[in-house]
Amino acid sequence: MPGITREEVSHLARLARLELKDEELDHFAGQLDDIIGAVARVSEVADQDVPPTSHPLPLTNVMRADVVRPSLTPQEALSGAPAQEQQRFKVPQILGEE
């Protein structure tokens, strides 16, 4: 596979609106070539026998059943609030919106 050329790096830099010096073009050309080579090696490793995964270990969420339990009534929950309105805590307006 041919390597990334200075002209290609210069073109990419121009598209990204980056101003690169000549020595940076050479440096980034080598780095981009290494990155593309690494991605190509990873692609070669994938095989039909290996299913795609999002995590190396199997994960399961541990969730408990949603059970209704005795709790405070709205009046009890709001009993210590300095201000309340329509069974809700009333707080000062901070964003200047209605």
Side-chain angles (χ1 to χ4, degrees), residues 26-73:
D26 292 329
H27 182 71
F28 290 139
Q31 285 185 336
L32 286 171
D33 200 37
D34 291 342
I35 291 169
I36 290 173
V39 170
R41 281 193 301 276
V42 170
S43 297
E44 291 171 3
V45 172
D47 192 32
Q48 299 296 345
D49 297 336
V50 180
T53 60
S54 63
H55 197 275
L57 302 174
L59 297 176
T60 55
N61 286 335
V62 180
M63 297 189 182
R64 63 175 171 77
D66 192 11
V67 179
V68 177
R69 297 181 181 171
S71 61
L72 297 175
T73 65

Side-chain angles (χ1 to χ4, degrees), residues 89-98:
F89 292 100
K90 185 175 181 179
V91 296
Q93 182 175 341
I94 60 170
L95 298 177
E97 298 174 358
E98 289 292 323

